[in-house]
Amino acid sequence: MTLDIATRVYNHGFRIDPIIRSLLDTDFYKFLMLQLIREKNPDVRATFGLINRTKSVRIADAIDERELRDQLDHARTIRFQKNELIWLAGNSFYGVKQIFKPEFLDWLADFQLPEYDLHRTADGQYELLFEGPWCETTLWEIPALAIVSELRARAAVKGMSRFELDVLYAKAKAKLWGKIERLRLLGREGPLKIADFGTRRRHGFLWQKWCVEALQEGLGENFVGTSNVKMAMDAGLEAIGTNAHELPMVYAALAETDAALHQAPYAVLKDWAEMYDGNLLVILPDTYGTTAFLKDAPEWILAWKGIRPDSKPPIEGAEEAIAWWASHGLDPREKLIVLSDGMDIDTIEDAVRHFRGRVNLSIGWGTNVTNDFRDCAPDGKDDRLAAISLVCKVVEANGRPAVKLSDNANKATGPAEEIARYRRVFGQDEIARQPVLV
Amino acid sequence: MTLDIATRVYNHGFRIDPIIRSLLDTDFYKFLMLQLIREKNPDVRATFGLINRTKSVRIADAIDERELRDQLDHARTIRFQKNELIWLAGNSFYGVKQIFKPEFLDWLADFQLPEYDLHRTADGQYELLFEGPWCETTLWEIPALAIVSELRARAAVKGMSRFELDVLYAKAKAKLWGKIERLRLLGREGPLKIADFGTRRRHGFLWQKWCVEALQEGLGENFVGTSNVKMAMDAGLEAIGTNAHELPMVYAALAETDAALHQAPYAVLKDWAEMYDGNLLVILPDTYGTTAFLKDAPEWILAWKGIRPDSKPPIEGAEEAIAWWASHGLDPREKLIVLSDGMDIDTIEDAVRHFRGRVNLSIGWGTNVTNDFRDCAPDGKDDRLAAISLVCKVVEANGRPAVKLSDNANKATGPAEEIARYRRVFGQDEIARQPVLV
């Protein structure tokens, strides 16, 4: 085989192999939220922090601090490319043209990820904080998670021979394709909509790319898109996503009274509805408990297109939404449920079959598509390759602590006394305690 | 990614992608037998013919005749390279130095594969005959089989997308590695010796290379070598093999009387023992029925190192050999059994566990290592990738028909009246009828 010496020598010269190479290598909802943040809350400061909910994995032992800094530093050198901004400007999202305003895109052109603050903690974790204007720190969430996730995977495969790596990826490919084949059968039975939501906890960029191409090739029309903007652009797919917990968490943190706190989640939706429409009107109801949210929701929210249950068991969460619509005389068959919390092939099959004909269902498939290497390591030891529950959450807004309760007490974040206050304000109905897997 | 234009343009220029690129890309036993043929039977003419025992597969429909001719023609352009002959001369085989005589190697230097005769038959097969001096036609067996086998595989994957191919090989790799992992466990329990015998019915050269590297990496010392001389040379492995049915078949065809016919299999071993020694003294007992062979075997054959049962169920064939040695007061623990007929992971595990501590066992693993693509095609249709029972056998020697009976009546070859005569001469004890899988 002829060796391309120039390529080989060029490769020698890499100082690092960058994980993040484009500011579009992030989730689409970040841009929707960012546009809202800049318009409605341009002066709010928000601190994001990395939290490893899988305490048994000591990330700081697995990942070299120098390598982590190099990757974070490299991400800060990246700017939006001209072709990327043109694509954001010229593309239709959810059927809507010019969803991003020219002023917003101009602002993006000069964007740089802000500084970070990194410390090793005594319990073998990293404290990684991003402090600054909310409209800057918010864009760290996905690249920070993707960097830590991929560095952990790189450390896990370090030392494997070329051949062991070959088998590792062969097994992972065969495994994912096995899931896709089951989904093809599922898609033949009736409607099926799957999207890739796996950027944040992916094994690696190239692996996610392979997974997205596999879904595209294997599922055809049943694969409706990816949350990863860069991959959507490169593969000609729809960019998928709406909004996340950071909006109600910041609005809640900024609330001056308990009454304002109670209204904060609805205030978010009000601002959102002023900016977006149609399929982008998807409620994320669980920040402070779904049951409380729905019980006290103002009537205009019934007009929204869908709900994304995110911390109850998926069928239970979706049934609650259906019951809520039905109790208000609405036909759930005209509504949309997005399930995206730790879904995998079994729960996808169950949910799709369970709700067929009753509601429009869309699956956001995350960690279990882009980072499922269980039973793939050739030596049978794949602990170090197992996905962990890593999140990057807003922890403070304008100096006040941010709080999340969710429907699962194990996912609650924030200072204990604030959690107690929030529970008092929102009620504690139906908040269960379930294991957090991914 | 930088594209190596020179390489790409060079690749454009290929007229064909040659399957056989070295005359060492064949089984080692061909050279051992060839040296004997040249020394003991230099003037014998022998015709080899391709036989597809899987009649349900119409090879001539699957493989384009032009492509087949191009590949056969290309193989005829190849000569032994200087470094290949140096390796044959300088390497030790089975611990013996200079196993090939200088005169033999000089003769190889000018060797060219002889002409072939190809016709399409009415039943959708190819009649592919090699007529000429035995010492020339014998070397066609393996390349002819490998060419037909790989062309069939190429036809099967033609039209698959790059992505489907990726999944196909990923699944095949995961599948083989699954078998290797079971063999690793088996090797930890006790002695285990596995060799690759898969050249003739391989999916393709590159795939066999991957399989051999996988076995080498996965099994370490338990992988004792490969029958493929080129791969043994390139990978620094032992070249494995002794002798095949063509020797007794030609000797039998040349026998002038029934008495001489009955002695022919022993005459082969006599000639063999004059040339080779030690671990190369492995009896292939089944050409005209193992039971008859052992019953009438002269006593000096008891001194031979081992037996390779080839057409009875493996444990049954090996037990018969062990009983034969034991009945003559020999300790089977000092003897060797080579099992190489259609072995796969289950039968390997069974045989190794069954005979542990009772006899030295060596496994020649063929088609099921280099061409097991069952359940690997992404569309679930892998009929066209399923291995078939293709052989290239001697059909005539000096104008007389060649006959094989074997221990399995379904493997008998030759004209009906000759088969009847051979059965009369050798007896029909213990000849069963079993399905022929590979």
Side-chain angles (χ1 to χ4, degrees):
Chain A
M1 189 157 49
T2 313
L3 184 70
D4 181 2
I5 297 177
T7 303
R8 183 65 192 272
V9 171
Y10 177 75
N11 291 348
H12 281 168
F14 282 152
R15 196 177 61 85
I16 61 163
D17 186 353
I19 292 171
I20 302 298
R21 298 174 183 219
S22 159
L23 289 176
L24 286 195
D25 182 12
T26 191
D27 277 349
F28 180 60
Y29 73 0
K30 298 305 306 196
F31 294 109
L32 295 174
M33 291 192 287
L34 179 55
Q35 185 167 241
L36 177 142
I37 292 165
R38 284 203 64 254
E39 196 149 316
K40 305 285 184 183
N41 309 273
D43 302 321
V44 171
R45 295 181 68 84
T47 303
F48 282 74
L50 191 85
I51 299 161
N52 172 17
R53 296 190 292 217
T54 310
K55 296 287 174 214
S56 57
V57 172
R58 294 168 62 97
I59 291 183
D61 292 347
I63 297 175
D64 181 67
E65 185 176 331
R66 183 70 259 157
E67 283 184 45
L68 177 52
R69 286 185 185 276
D70 284 346
Q71 292 292 345
L72 295 167
D73 290 343
H74 182 268
R76 294 197 64 230
T77 67
I78 306 171
R79 302 293 181 275
F80 286 98
Q81 300 293 305
K82 207 170 156 74
N83 63 336
E84 296 174 338
L85 293 171
I86 290 169
W87 185 82
L88 284 178
N91 194 30
S92 299
F93 298 96
Y94 287 87
V96 183
K97 281 183 189 159
Q98 293 171 343
I99 205 167
F100 298 113
K101 298 180 185 170
E103 180 277 335
F104 173 66
L105 295 170
D106 286 346
W107 180 82
L108 280 185
D110 296 319
F111 182 85
Q112 174 184 17
L113 286 169
E115 294 189 1
Y116 61 88
D117 190 25
L118 176 67
H119 298 285
R120 223 188 133 99
T121 63
D123 60 343
Q125 305 295 338
Y126 284 119
E127 184 177 70
L128 177 55
L129 293 172
F130 306 100
E131 223 176 316
W134 188 13
C135 59
E136 295 182 5
T137 55
T138 184
L139 278 195
W140 259 123
E141 180 193 7
I142 308 300
L145 289 170
I147 284 171
V148 172
S149 190
E150 182 160 347
L151 282 181
R152 200 173 148 258
R154 288 186 185 182
V157 302
K158 197 174 274 178
M160 283 193 191
S161 69
R162 238 188 70 167
F163 188 81
E164 286 174 315
L165 288 171
D166 197 9
V167 172
L168 174 74
Y169 290 105
K171 283 184 155 186
K173 285 178 181 179
K175 188 174 198 189
L176 178 58
W177 195 258
K179 294 181 183 181
I180 289 173
E181 283 179 336
R182 286 171 63 180
L183 291 176
R184 285 159 74 111
L185 294 178
L186 192 66
R188 272 179 223 142
E189 294 172 14
L192 176 68
K193 286 184 177 180
I194 307 262
D196 156 46
F197 276 23
T199 299
R200 64 191 61 202
R201 294 193 201 123
R202 66 191 180 199
H203 174 81
F205 175 84
L206 291 175
W207 177 244
Q208 182 183 16
K209 192 162 180 291
W210 193 92
C211 294
V212 166
E213 287 168 4
L215 290 163
Q216 199 173 6
E217 170 112 4
L219 299 184
E221 295 294 303
N222 294 131
F223 181 56
V224 296
T226 169
S227 64
N228 188 297
V229 190
K230 171 85 174 123
M231 295 198 189
M233 175 174 142
D234 290 349
L237 287 163
E238 288 286 317
I240 304 283
T242 54
N243 53 68
H245 297 111
E246 69 179 278
L247 297 180
M249 286 171 78
V250 171
Y251 278 53
L254 299 179
E256 298 287 346
T257 64
D258 282 0
L261 172 60
H262 186 262
Q263 287 305 305
Y266 310 119
V268 168
L269 302 193
K270 207 150 197 278
D271 283 355
W272 189 266
E274 279 177 40
M275 300 196 64
Y276 304 114
D277 203 353
N279 281 332
L280 287 175
L281 298 184
V282 174
I283 306 160
L284 180 66
D286 71 327
T287 315
Y288 304 113
T290 299
T291 308
F293 176 93
L294 295 178
K295 194 177 63 189
D296 299 334
E299 217 168 284
W300 53 267
I301 292 179
L302 283 163
W304 279 42
K305 179 68 185 180
I307 288 190
R308 177 160 75 94
D310 199 48
S311 48
K312 289 198 178 184
I315 290 180
E316 183 185 327
E319 285 290 4
E320 186 173 15
I322 290 173
W324 177 64
W325 284 315
S327 74
H328 288 84
L330 295 169
D331 184 352
R333 285 174 300 179
E334 290 173 9
K335 295 295 189 180
L336 172 70
I337 300 272
V338 180
L339 295 178
S340 59
D341 180 32
M343 300 301 284
D344 202 358
I345 182 65
D346 291 331
T347 45
I348 292 173
E349 283 179 346
D350 289 349
V352 167
R353 292 193 173 121
H354 183 90
F355 290 111
R356 195 174 282 148
R358 294 179 56 208
V359 69
N360 296 302
L361 188 65
S362 190
I363 306 291
W365 197 9
T367 314
N368 288 315
V369 66
T370 59
N371 201 2
D372 182 4
F373 282 72
R374 284 167 287 189
D375 302 320
C376 292
D379 58 0
K381 291 172 197 153
D382 26 32
D383 284 7
R384 296 192 306 166
L385 279 169
I388 56 174
S389 186
L390 200 67
V391 292
C392 184
K393 286 280 171 198
V394 61
V395 289
E396 226 178 67
N398 284 353
R400 300 163 181 233
V403 171
K404 183 184 167 191
L405 297 180
S406 99
D407 293 320
N408 179 356
N410 286 336
K411 279 188 167 181
T413 59
E417 67 279 11
E418 284 296 295
I419 291 180
R421 180 169 78 97
Y422 276 59
R423 286 199 172 136
R424 204 170 57 239
V425 169
F426 290 101
Q428 300 194 57
D429 297 353
E430 300 277 329
I431 294 186
R433 195 174 282 273
Q434 289 140 16
V436 178
L437 299 174
V438 287
Chain B
M1 191 158 49
T2 314
L3 185 70
D4 180 4
I5 297 177
T7 303
R8 182 64 192 271
V9 171
Y10 177 75
N11 292 348
H12 282 168
F14 283 151
R15 196 177 61 84
I16 60 164
D17 187 353
I19 292 171
I20 302 297
R21 298 174 183 219
S22 159
L23 289 177
L24 286 196
D25 183 12
T26 191
D27 277 349
F28 180 61
Y29 74 0
K30 298 304 307 196
F31 294 110
L32 295 174
M33 291 192 287
L34 180 54
Q35 185 166 242
L36 177 142
I37 292 165
R38 284 203 64 253
E39 195 149 315
K40 304 286 184 182
N41 309 272
D43 302 322
V44 171
R45 295 181 68 82
T47 303
F48 281 75
L50 191 84
I51 299 160
N52 172 16
R53 296 190 292 217
T54 311
K55 296 287 172 212
S56 58
V57 172
R58 293 169 62 97
I59 290 183
D61 293 347
I63 298 176
D64 182 66
E65 185 176 332
R66 184 70 259 156
E67 283 183 46
L68 177 52
R69 286 186 185 277
D70 284 346
Q71 291 292 345
L72 295 167
D73 291 342
H74 182 269
R76 293 198 63 231
T77 67
I78 305 172
R79 301 293 181 275
F80 286 97
Q81 300 293 305
K82 208 171 155 77
N83 63 336
E84 296 174 337
L85 292 171
I86 290 169
W87 185 81
L88 284 178
N91 194 28
S92 298
F93 297 96
Y94 287 89
V96 182
K97 282 183 188 157
Q98 294 171 343
I99 205 167
F100 297 113
K101 298 178 186 171
E103 179 276 336
F104 174 65
L105 295 170
D106 286 347
W107 179 83
L108 280 186
D110 296 320
F111 182 85
Q112 174 184 18
L113 286 168
E115 293 190 0
Y116 62 87
D117 189 25
L118 176 68
H119 297 286
R120 223 188 133 100
T121 63
D123 60 343
Q125 304 296 339
Y126 284 119
E127 184 177 70
L128 177 55
L129 293 172
F130 307 100
E131 224 176 316
W134 188 13
C135 59
E136 295 182 4
T137 55
T138 184
L139 278 195
W140 258 123
E141 180 192 8
I142 308 300
L145 290 170
I147 284 171
V148 172
S149 190
E150 182 160 346
L151 281 181
R152 202 174 146 257
R154 288 187 185 181
V157 303
K158 198 175 274 177
M160 283 192 191
S161 68
R162 239 188 69 167
F163 188 82
E164 287 174 316
L165 287 171
D166 198 10
V167 172
L168 174 74
Y169 290 105
K171 283 184 155 187
K173 285 178 180 178
K175 188 173 198 190
L176 178 57
W177 194 258
K179 294 180 183 181
I180 289 173
E181 283 179 336
R182 286 171 63 180
L183 291 176
R184 286 159 74 110
L185 293 178
L186 192 66
R188 273 178 222 143
E189 293 172 15
L192 177 68
K193 286 184 178 180
I194 307 262
D196 156 46
F197 276 23
T199 299
R200 66 190 60 204
R201 293 192 200 123
R202 67 191 180 198
H203 174 81
F205 175 84
L206 291 175
W207 178 244
Q208 182 183 15
K209 192 162 180 290
W210 192 92
C211 296
V212 166
E213 287 168 4
L215 290 163
Q216 198 173 6
E217 170 112 3
L219 299 184
E221 295 293 305
N222 295 130
F223 181 54
V224 296
T226 168
S227 64
N228 188 296
V229 189
K230 171 85 174 124
M231 296 197 188
M233 176 174 141
D234 290 350
L237 287 163
E238 289 286 317
I240 304 284
T242 54
N243 54 66
H245 298 111
E246 68 179 279
L247 297 180
M249 286 172 78
V250 171
Y251 277 53
L254 299 179
E256 297 286 347
T257 63
D258 282 2
L261 172 59
H262 186 263
Q263 286 305 304
Y266 310 119
V268 168
L269 301 193
K270 206 152 198 279
D271 282 356
W272 189 266
E274 280 178 39
M275 300 196 65
Y276 304 115
D277 204 353
N279 281 332
L280 286 174
L281 299 184
V282 174
I283 306 161
L284 180 65
D286 69 328
T287 314
Y288 303 114
T290 299
T291 307
F293 176 93
L294 295 178
K295 194 178 61 189
D296 299 335
E299 218 167 284
W300 53 267
I301 292 178
L302 284 163
W304 279 43
K305 179 69 185 178
I307 288 189
R308 176 160 76 94
D310 200 49
S311 48
K312 288 198 181 186
I315 289 180
E316 183 185 327
E319 285 289 5
E320 186 173 15
I322 290 172
W324 176 64
W325 284 315
S327 73
H328 288 84
L330 296 169
D331 184 352
R333 285 174 300 179
E334 289 173 10
K335 295 295 190 181
L336 172 70
I337 300 271
V338 180
L339 294 178
S340 59
D341 180 32
M343 301 301 284
D344 201 358
I345 182 67
D346 291 332
T347 46
I348 291 172
E349 284 179 345
D350 289 349
V352 168
R353 292 192 172 123
H354 183 91
F355 290 111
R356 196 175 281 148
R358 294 180 55 209
V359 69
N360 297 302
L361 188 65
S362 189
I363 306 291
W365 197 10
T367 313
N368 288 316
V369 67
T370 60
N371 200 2
D372 181 5
F373 282 72
R374 284 168 286 188
D375 302 321
C376 291
D379 58 1
K381 291 171 197 154
D382 26 32
D383 284 7
R384 294 192 307 165
L385 279 169
I388 56 174
S389 185
L390 199 67
V391 292
C392 184
K393 285 281 172 199
V394 61
V395 290
E396 226 177 67
N398 284 353
R400 300 164 182 232
V403 171
K404 182 183 168 192
L405 297 180
S406 98
D407 292 321
N408 179 355
N410 285 336
K411 279 187 166 181
T413 59
E417 67 278 10
E418 285 295 295
I419 290 179
R421 181 169 78 95
Y422 277 59
R423 286 199 172 137
R424 205 170 55 239
V425 169
F426 290 100
Q428 300 195 55
D429 297 354
E430 300 276 331
I431 294 185
R433 195 175 283 273
Q434 288 139 16
V436 178
L437 300 174
V438 287

mmCIF file with all atom_site columns, all heavy atoms in Angstrom, chain A residues 12 21 23 152 180 203 205 300 340 347 394:
data_model
loop_
_atom_site.group_PDB
_atom_site.id
_atom_site.type_symbol
_atom_site.label_atom_id
_atom_site.label_alt_id
_atom_site.label_comp_id
_atom_site.label_asym_id
_atom_site.label_entity_id
_atom_site.label_seq_id
_atom_site.pdbx_PDB_ins_code
_atom_site.Cartn_x
_atom_site.Cartn_y
_atom_site.Cartn_z
_atom_site.occupancy
_atom_site.B_iso_or_equiv
_atom_site.pdbx_formal_charge
_atom_site.auth_seq_id
_atom_site.auth_comp_id
_atom_site.auth_asym_id
_atom_site.auth_atom_id
_atom_site.pdbx_PDB_model_num
ATOM 1   N N   . HIS A 1 12  ? 1.644   13.671 12.475 1.00 0.00 ? 12  HIS A N   1
ATOM 2   C CA  . HIS A 1 12  ? 2.649   13.695 13.547 1.00 0.00 ? 12  HIS A CA  1
ATOM 3   C C   . HIS A 1 12  ? 2.594   14.993 14.330 1.00 0.00 ? 12  HIS A C   1
ATOM 4   O O   . HIS A 1 12  ? 2.864   15.021 15.515 1.00 0.00 ? 12  HIS A O   1
ATOM 5   C CB  . HIS A 1 12  ? 4.067   13.648 12.947 1.00 0.00 ? 12  HIS A CB  1
ATOM 6   C CG  . HIS A 1 12  ? 4.499   12.294 12.526 1.00 0.00 ? 12  HIS A CG  1
ATOM 7   N ND1 . HIS A 1 12  ? 5.615   12.094 11.755 1.00 0.00 ? 12  HIS A ND1 1
ATOM 8   C CD2 . HIS A 1 12  ? 3.976   11.080 12.739 1.00 0.00 ? 12  HIS A CD2 1
ATOM 9   C CE1 . HIS A 1 12  ? 5.757   10.809 11.522 1.00 0.00 ? 12  HIS A CE1 1
ATOM 10  N NE2 . HIS A 1 12  ? 4.760   10.180 12.106 1.00 0.00 ? 12  HIS A NE2 1
ATOM 11  N N   . ARG A 1 21  ? -14.523 20.901 17.341 1.00 0.00 ? 21  ARG A N   1
ATOM 12  C CA  . ARG A 1 21  ? -13.890 21.582 16.196 1.00 0.00 ? 21  ARG A CA  1
ATOM 13  C C   . ARG A 1 21  ? -14.822 22.591 15.541 1.00 0.00 ? 21  ARG A C   1
ATOM 14  O O   . ARG A 1 21  ? -14.479 23.191 14.527 1.00 0.00 ? 21  ARG A O   1
ATOM 15  C CB  . ARG A 1 21  ? -13.455 20.542 15.160 1.00 0.00 ? 21  ARG A CB  1
ATOM 16  C CG  . ARG A 1 21  ? -12.417 19.575 15.713 1.00 0.00 ? 21  ARG A CG  1
ATOM 17  C CD  . ARG A 1 21  ? -12.099 18.465 14.727 1.00 0.00 ? 21  ARG A CD  1
ATOM 18  N NE  . ARG A 1 21  ? -11.159 17.526 15.323 1.00 0.00 ? 21  ARG A NE  1
ATOM 19  C CZ  . ARG A 1 21  ? -10.157 16.963 14.665 1.00 0.00 ? 21  ARG A CZ  1
ATOM 20  N NH1 . ARG A 1 21  ? -9.954  17.242 13.395 1.00 0.00 ? 21  ARG A NH1 1
ATOM 21  N NH2 . ARG A 1 21  ? -9.347  16.106 15.268 1.00 0.00 ? 21  ARG A NH2 1
ATOM 22  N N   . LEU A 1 23  ? -18.322 25.349 16.662 1.00 0.00 ? 23  LEU A N   1
ATOM 23  C CA  . LEU A 1 23  ? -19.290 25.791 17.674 1.00 0.00 ? 23  LEU A CA  1
ATOM 24  C C   . LEU A 1 23  ? -20.701 25.305 17.344 1.00 0.00 ? 23  LEU A C   1
ATOM 25  O O   . LEU A 1 23  ? -21.600 25.410 18.173 1.00 0.00 ? 23  LEU A O   1
ATOM 26  C CB  . LEU A 1 23  ? -19.251 27.322 17.825 1.00 0.00 ? 23  LEU A CB  1
ATOM 27  C CG  . LEU A 1 23  ? -17.981 27.868 18.496 1.00 0.00 ? 23  LEU A CG  1
ATOM 28  C CD1 . LEU A 1 23  ? -17.988 29.401 18.504 1.00 0.00 ? 23  LEU A CD1 1
ATOM 29  C CD2 . LEU A 1 23  ? -17.847 27.343 19.932 1.00 0.00 ? 23  LEU A CD2 1
ATOM 30  N N   . ARG A 1 152 ? -12.855 10.714 28.701 1.00 0.00 ? 152 ARG A N   1
ATOM 31  C CA  . ARG A 1 152 ? -12.983 9.502  29.512 1.00 0.00 ? 152 ARG A CA  1
ATOM 32  C C   . ARG A 1 152 ? -12.916 8.260  28.618 1.00 0.00 ? 152 ARG A C   1
ATOM 33  O O   . ARG A 1 152 ? -12.262 7.269  28.936 1.00 0.00 ? 152 ARG A O   1
ATOM 34  C CB  . ARG A 1 152 ? -14.308 9.545  30.277 1.00 0.00 ? 152 ARG A CB  1
ATOM 35  C CG  . ARG A 1 152 ? -14.302 8.613  31.453 1.00 0.00 ? 152 ARG A CG  1
ATOM 36  C CD  . ARG A 1 152 ? -15.520 8.748  32.327 1.00 0.00 ? 152 ARG A CD  1
ATOM 37  N NE  . ARG A 1 152 ? -15.779 7.433  32.868 1.00 0.00 ? 152 ARG A NE  1
ATOM 38  C CZ  . ARG A 1 152 ? -16.712 6.617  32.422 1.00 0.00 ? 152 ARG A CZ  1
ATOM 39  N NH1 . ARG A 1 152 ? -17.524 6.987  31.459 1.00 0.00 ? 152 ARG A NH1 1
ATOM 40  N NH2 . ARG A 1 152 ? -16.837 5.413  32.953 1.00 0.00 ? 152 ARG A NH2 1
ATOM 41  N N   . ILE A 1 180 ? -31.108 -1.027 15.515 1.00 0.00 ? 180 ILE A N   1
ATOM 42  C CA  . ILE A 1 180 ? -31.734 -0.395 14.355 1.00 0.00 ? 180 ILE A CA  1
ATOM 43  C C   . ILE A 1 180 ? -32.626 -1.391 13.625 1.00 0.00 ? 180 ILE A C   1
ATOM 44  O O   . ILE A 1 180 ? -33.718 -1.046 13.161 1.00 0.00 ? 180 ILE A O   1
ATOM 45  C CB  . ILE A 1 180 ? -30.649 0.191  13.416 1.00 0.00 ? 180 ILE A CB  1
ATOM 46  C CG1 . ILE A 1 180 ? -30.021 1.419  14.077 1.00 0.00 ? 180 ILE A CG1 1
ATOM 47  C CG2 . ILE A 1 180 ? -31.231 0.555  12.051 1.00 0.00 ? 180 ILE A CG2 1
ATOM 48  C CD1 . ILE A 1 180 ? -28.828 2.010  13.336 1.00 0.00 ? 180 ILE A CD1 1
ATOM 49  N N   . HIS A 1 203 ? -19.646 8.753  23.110 1.00 0.00 ? 203 HIS A N   1
ATOM 50  C CA  . HIS A 1 203 ? -18.323 8.123  23.203 1.00 0.00 ? 203 HIS A CA  1
ATOM 51  C C   . HIS A 1 203 ? -17.284 9.011  22.528 1.00 0.00 ? 203 HIS A C   1
ATOM 52  O O   . HIS A 1 203 ? -16.155 9.128  22.992 1.00 0.00 ? 203 HIS A O   1
ATOM 53  C CB  . HIS A 1 203 ? -18.392 6.765  22.508 1.00 0.00 ? 203 HIS A CB  1
ATOM 54  C CG  . HIS A 1 203 ? -17.086 6.063  22.383 1.00 0.00 ? 203 HIS A CG  1
ATOM 55  N ND1 . HIS A 1 203 ? -16.530 5.347  23.414 1.00 0.00 ? 203 HIS A ND1 1
ATOM 56  C CD2 . HIS A 1 203 ? -16.224 5.968  21.346 1.00 0.00 ? 203 HIS A CD2 1
ATOM 57  C CE1 . HIS A 1 203 ? -15.373 4.845  23.004 1.00 0.00 ? 203 HIS A CE1 1
ATOM 58  N NE2 . HIS A 1 203 ? -15.160 5.202  21.763 1.00 0.00 ? 203 HIS A NE2 1
ATOM 59  N N   . PHE A 1 205 ? -16.885 12.156 18.971 1.00 0.00 ? 205 PHE A N   1
ATOM 60  C CA  . PHE A 1 205 ? -17.501 12.821 17.820 1.00 0.00 ? 205 PHE A CA  1
ATOM 61  C C   . PHE A 1 205 ? -17.645 11.861 16.647 1.00 0.00 ? 205 PHE A C   1
ATOM 62  O O   . PHE A 1 205 ? -18.722 11.749 16.050 1.00 0.00 ? 205 PHE A O   1
ATOM 63  C CB  . PHE A 1 205 ? -16.660 14.034 17.398 1.00 0.00 ? 205 PHE A CB  1
ATOM 64  C CG  . PHE A 1 205 ? -17.162 14.715 16.150 1.00 0.00 ? 205 PHE A CG  1
ATOM 65  C CD1 . PHE A 1 205 ? -18.175 15.659 16.226 1.00 0.00 ? 205 PHE A CD1 1
ATOM 66  C CD2 . PHE A 1 205 ? -16.645 14.403 14.898 1.00 0.00 ? 205 PHE A CD2 1
ATOM 67  C CE1 . PHE A 1 205 ? -18.666 16.280 15.077 1.00 0.00 ? 205 PHE A CE1 1
ATOM 68  C CE2 . PHE A 1 205 ? -17.122 15.019 13.744 1.00 0.00 ? 205 PHE A CE2 1
ATOM 69  C CZ  . PHE A 1 205 ? -18.133 15.948 13.836 1.00 0.00 ? 205 PHE A CZ  1
ATOM 70  N N   . TRP A 1 300 ? -53.863 28.982 28.614 1.00 0.00 ? 300 TRP A N   1
ATOM 71  C CA  . TRP A 1 300 ? -53.245 29.175 27.297 1.00 0.00 ? 300 TRP A CA  1
ATOM 72  C C   . TRP A 1 300 ? -52.188 28.127 26.975 1.00 0.00 ? 300 TRP A C   1
ATOM 73  O O   . TRP A 1 300 ? -51.874 27.882 25.816 1.00 0.00 ? 300 TRP A O   1
ATOM 74  C CB  . TRP A 1 300 ? -52.676 30.592 27.145 1.00 0.00 ? 300 TRP A CB  1
ATOM 75  C CG  . TRP A 1 300 ? -51.729 31.036 28.244 1.00 0.00 ? 300 TRP A CG  1
ATOM 76  C CD1 . TRP A 1 300 ? -52.056 31.720 29.369 1.00 0.00 ? 300 TRP A CD1 1
ATOM 77  C CD2 . TRP A 1 300 ? -50.314 30.815 28.303 1.00 0.00 ? 300 TRP A CD2 1
ATOM 78  N NE1 . TRP A 1 300 ? -50.944 31.948 30.145 1.00 0.00 ? 300 TRP A NE1 1
ATOM 79  C CE2 . TRP A 1 300 ? -49.852 31.400 29.509 1.00 0.00 ? 300 TRP A CE2 1
ATOM 80  C CE3 . TRP A 1 300 ? -49.397 30.172 27.468 1.00 0.00 ? 300 TRP A CE3 1
ATOM 81  C CZ2 . TRP A 1 300 ? -48.509 31.356 29.901 1.00 0.00 ? 300 TRP A CZ2 1
ATOM 82  C CZ3 . TRP A 1 300 ? -48.053 30.148 27.845 1.00 0.00 ? 300 TRP A CZ3 1
ATOM 83  C CH2 . TRP A 1 300 ? -47.616 30.728 29.059 1.00 0.00 ? 300 TRP A CH2 1
ATOM 84  N N   . SER A 1 340 ? -37.381 11.449 26.023 1.00 0.00 ? 340 SER A N   1
ATOM 85  C CA  . SER A 1 340 ? -35.935 11.562 25.775 1.00 0.00 ? 340 SER A CA  1
ATOM 86  C C   . SER A 1 340 ? -35.090 11.294 27.015 1.00 0.00 ? 340 SER A C   1
ATOM 87  O O   . SER A 1 340 ? -33.906 11.584 27.031 1.00 0.00 ? 340 SER A O   1
ATOM 88  C CB  . SER A 1 340 ? -35.610 12.964 25.250 1.00 0.00 ? 340 SER A CB  1
ATOM 89  O OG  . SER A 1 340 ? -36.014 13.938 26.188 1.00 0.00 ? 340 SER A OG  1
ATOM 90  N N   . THR A 1 347 ? -37.322 0.261  25.960 1.00 0.00 ? 347 THR A N   1
ATOM 91  C CA  . THR A 1 347 ? -38.305 1.267  26.376 1.00 0.00 ? 347 THR A CA  1
ATOM 92  C C   . THR A 1 347 ? -38.894 1.994  25.168 1.00 0.00 ? 347 THR A C   1
ATOM 93  O O   . THR A 1 347 ? -40.045 2.421  25.197 1.00 0.00 ? 347 THR A O   1
ATOM 94  C CB  . THR A 1 347 ? -37.668 2.280  27.355 1.00 0.00 ? 347 THR A CB  1
ATOM 95  O OG1 . THR A 1 347 ? -36.391 2.677  26.846 1.00 0.00 ? 347 THR A OG1 1
ATOM 96  C CG2 . THR A 1 347 ? -37.487 1.667  28.723 1.00 0.00 ? 347 THR A CG2 1
ATOM 97  N N   . VAL A 1 394 ? -27.103 24.830 35.335 1.00 0.00 ? 394 VAL A N   1
ATOM 98  C CA  . VAL A 1 394 ? -26.966 26.163 35.900 1.00 0.00 ? 394 VAL A CA  1
ATOM 99  C C   . VAL A 1 394 ? -27.029 26.034 37.421 1.00 0.00 ? 394 VAL A C   1
ATOM 100 O O   . VAL A 1 394 ? -27.891 25.329 37.962 1.00 0.00 ? 394 VAL A O   1
ATOM 101 C CB  . VAL A 1 394 ? -28.046 27.112 35.319 1.00 0.00 ? 394 VAL A CB  1
ATOM 102 C CG1 . VAL A 1 394 ? -29.443 26.619 35.651 1.00 0.00 ? 394 VAL A CG1 1
ATOM 103 C CG2 . VAL A 1 394 ? -27.848 28.535 35.791 1.00 0.00 ? 394 VAL A CG2 1
#
